Amino acid sequence: GGFQECHQLPMFQEFTKYQGHVTHPARMAEYTGRCFDRAMSEMGPTQLNIPRDYFYGEIEAEIPEPARLDRGPGGTRTLNEAAELLANAEFPVIVSGGGVVMADGVDACQALAERLGAPVVNSYQHNDSFPASHPLWCGPLGYQGSKAGMKLIAQADVVVALGTRLGPFGTLPQHGLDYWPKDAKIIQIDADHKMLGLVKKIAVGICGDAREAAEAITERLAGRELVCDATQGKRAELIASEKAAWERELDEWTHEKDPFSLDAIDEAEGETPFSGGEYLHPRQVLRELEKAMPEDVMVSTDIGNINAVAHSYLRFEKPRSFFAPMSFGNCGYALPTIIGAKVAAPERPAIAYAGDGAWGMSLMETMTAVRHAIPVTAVVFHNRQWGAEKKNQVEFYNRRFVAGELDNQSFAEIGRAMGAEGITVDRLEDVGPALKKAVDLQMNEGKTCILEIMCTRELGDPFRRDALKKPVRLLE
């Protein structure tokens, strides 16, 4: 209260799992310990509010030992009910969510999937919750997700929602597909009981650790003859076929095909970037980046249209590799997030994806990376617009654009001015080699590099078609 003169606790209460406010100096250790414990138990941020004058002086206090919950697999009754449903399922599908990552439960999820022969889809923006090289992996659901995963879950009679709240971004129609199976029985497993049945009507709700619950269900299915055993080979062929079809579609989907994007592509053919090359199609760029990704990579994505399209092209082999803002929409997220990830895992390549709008909110953190010798690679899609907002203006406001255009200088040059390396890419054949060079600078020379890719103004689908409706004009 000495400077800001505002009530700080109400400002942050919507974003935090718990707020500790030190009411007396003697309670400093108590509240500090409680905030850390709540952050770990509720898996989210907490706030410790300390009045300025309590920072000084002497107190007698007992420093509390950290309290860590042993969550367990869930209740015996609900685990038995889940096993019974799965034993009689004809086409089970698993949705592997962020809870699987937090529980170190990928192996347990994989074991359950293999027992069932069940396709596994990632929940929204949790592309690292199942290994992409596994035959049962079918890609992410939801916004800009995998058509293969959507077509397969549409056939499910039982869905295992493992460590996911089934949020709206991950279950809404996409690619023209209303894929969520309306009559499927849902087994939802989450460590937070408040998430069970919150978004979708469920048949069984298990409050437990995702890894331990998956292991407990797999144990219950061991030695049993399952209804789906008879069709395991046929379903494996279907999974492989749908995945191959989706990969072919991605290969052929070189640019967006809606009227606005086609106009933007025509416009780009008559323009030359300041770098002198040409403007590139974002989807082709994302495919080339995917091919050039180093092993054991960590990727953060920002908010924005191209970043959303990137979900179809980001595949991972291990958990704790993908750091996405999910449905919070916090623009400027990717660079500071990947800096934090690099500090936690300095031996792993760290790459941030950002559009030029989001980059304008976070590019100053380049100096943080340089100053503190935390080398990262930032891929900036330079398409001269606020893509996500502009797409809404295309779809719902008849291309009446307000504050959507951006006229930017070279972000590679700005990066060099801040002490980083900078590479501008304006030829498709240079995308992969440029990423490899930037990662080499990071891993072998300890240098941060800004990889600026000049892109056309074409745009993918809007974030939420259900959020806006076209107006009905009643007057001339």
Side-chain angles (χ1 to χ4, degrees):
F3 294 98
Q4 287 81 14
E5 294 295 343
C6 62
H7 298 294
Q8 294 181 33
L9 289 170
M11 291 171 62
F12 292 96
Q13 68 183 7
E14 293 297 326
F15 319 131
T16 54
K17 299 289 187 180
Y18 174 78
Q19 294 176 309
H21 178 67
V22 180
T23 55
H24 190 278
R27 303 188 71 181
M28 187 77 76
E30 172 196 347
Y31 275 113
T32 303
R34 190 178 301 168
C35 283
F36 277 105
D37 290 345
R38 289 288 186 92
M40 296 299 291
S41 66
E42 298 196 30
M43 293 171 286
T46 56
Q47 178 184 3
L48 179 61
N49 206 53
I50 307 171
R52 185 177 174 85
D53 54 337
Y54 288 176
F55 272 105
Y56 311 102
E58 295 182 2
I59 61 169
E60 288 187 12
E62 179 181 346
I63 306 298
E65 290 290 327
R68 296 293 178 262
L69 291 179
D70 183 8
R71 298 183 188 279
T76 301
R77 176 182 60 81
T78 50
L79 288 167
N80 289 339
E81 289 177 358
E84 201 61 33
L85 268 180
L86 287 169
N88 292 288
E90 295 182 1
F91 202 112
V93 176
I94 297 173
V95 181
S96 184
V100 174
V101 175
M102 293 183 196
D104 295 320
V106 172
D107 289 345
C109 177
Q110 183 173 318
L112 178 59
E114 290 171 352
R115 176 64 191 92
L116 297 168
V120 180
V121 292
N122 307 111
S123 69
Y124 179 64
Q125 292 198 333
H126 288 294
N127 297 25
D128 58 347
S129 63
F130 201 78
S133 60
H134 195 284
L136 294 174
W137 171 84
C138 298
L141 282 189
Y143 181 49
Q144 295 292 354
S146 161
K147 273 191 183 179
M150 294 172 194
K151 288 181 177 180
L152 288 161
I153 200 171
Q155 302 179 52
D157 60 342
V158 176
V159 173
V160 181
L162 186 59
T164 170
R165 61 185 176 139
L166 296 174
F169 266 91
T171 56
L172 282 173
Q174 182 66 23
H175 304 308
L177 302 173
D178 188 3
Y179 56 85
W180 189 260
K182 303 294 189 295
D183 298 324
K185 291 182 170 63
I186 300 174
I187 301 166
Q188 188 177 12
I189 301 163
D190 204 285
D192 184 352
H193 69 92
K194 297 188 295 296
M195 296 297 109
L196 299 177
L198 180 67
V199 182
K200 296 291 183 185
K201 184 179 179 181
I202 62 175
V204 179
I206 298 172
C207 182
D209 177 83
R211 175 177 57 82
E212 293 195 37
E215 289 173 345
I217 293 172
T218 304
E219 287 172 10
R220 282 164 167 78
L221 298 176
R224 291 188 64 172
E225 184 175 336
L226 312 182
V227 171
C228 63
D229 286 344
T231 60
Q232 191 153 335
K234 183 179 178 182
R235 286 181 291 123
E237 291 176 5
L238 179 62
I239 292 167
S241 173
E242 291 291 3
K243 287 168 61 174
W246 175 233
E247 291 305 315
R248 285 194 301 272
E249 184 170 348
L250 285 178
D251 285 336
E252 295 165 3
W253 199 349
T254 55
H255 60 80
E256 304 298 344
K257 300 180 174 74
D258 60 285
F260 170 79
S261 293
L262 294 176
D263 289 347
I265 292 167
D266 289 342
E267 176 188 301
E269 289 177 355
E271 296 180 328
T272 302
F274 53 72
S275 52
E278 61 186 28
Y279 289 112
L280 308 178
H281 301 301
R283 283 191 176 273
Q284 287 185 305
V285 168
L286 291 166
R287 199 58 151 172
E288 293 302 311
L289 291 170
E290 176 198 339
K291 294 174 187 174
M293 278 289 168
E295 288 186 16
D296 205 24
V297 70
M298 301 183 292
V299 177
S300 65
T301 53
D302 221 295
I303 289 296
N305 194 272
I306 296 178
N307 289 280
V309 175
H311 297 157
S312 293
Y313 303 88
L314 290 170
R315 294 97 187 276
F316 302 96
E317 291 303 312
K318 60 187 284 188
R320 305 181 197 279
S321 298
F322 187 36
F323 305 95
M326 293 180 284
S327 55
F328 202 87
N330 37 338
C331 210
Y333 161 94
L335 178 60
T337 295
I338 209 64
I339 290 172
K342 184 68 175 180
V343 171
E347 74 285 356
R348 299 181 64 184
I351 299 173
Y353 279 12
D356 45 12
W359 188 246
M361 291 188 171
S362 55
L363 63 85
M364 72 293 296
E365 300 301 344
T366 303
M367 290 187 286
T368 303
V370 172
R371 184 184 303 123
H372 296 285
I374 309 168
V376 297
T377 300
V379 179
V380 183
F381 303 103
H382 191 151
N383 65 350
R384 302 154 289 146
Q385 63 191 357
W386 286 104
E389 295 307 318
K390 191 171 176 183
K391 184 63 174 182
N392 283 336
Q393 294 171 14
V394 170
E395 293 284 324
F396 302 102
Y397 298 97
N398 198 31
R399 301 196 193 184
R400 288 182 287 128
F401 299 127
V402 177
E405 308 297 329
L406 293 171
D407 185 15
N408 303 307
Q409 287 69 44
S410 169
F411 294 119
E413 289 186 18
I414 294 171
R416 286 193 286 271
M418 291 191 287
E421 299 291 327
I423 302 171
T424 299
V425 178
D426 53 16
R427 299 285 180 188
L428 186 62
E429 61 268 23
D430 295 338
V431 172
L435 181 66
K436 290 180 179 179
K437 179 179 179 182
V439 171
D440 182 67
L441 286 168
Q442 177 190 151
M443 301 304 295
N444 296 318
E445 298 185 35
K447 292 181 178 180
T448 289
C449 183
I450 313 306
L451 185 60
E452 174 185 39
I453 303 182
M454 308 307 295
C455 294
T456 67
R457 285 189 162 123
E458 62 194 273
L459 293 168
D461 263 4
F463 272 106
R464 292 279 298 268
R465 284 194 179 276
D466 64 317
L468 291 169
K469 293 181 180 178
K470 291 186 177 180
V472 177
R473 185 174 293 281
L474 301 176
L475 300 176
E476 290 182 5

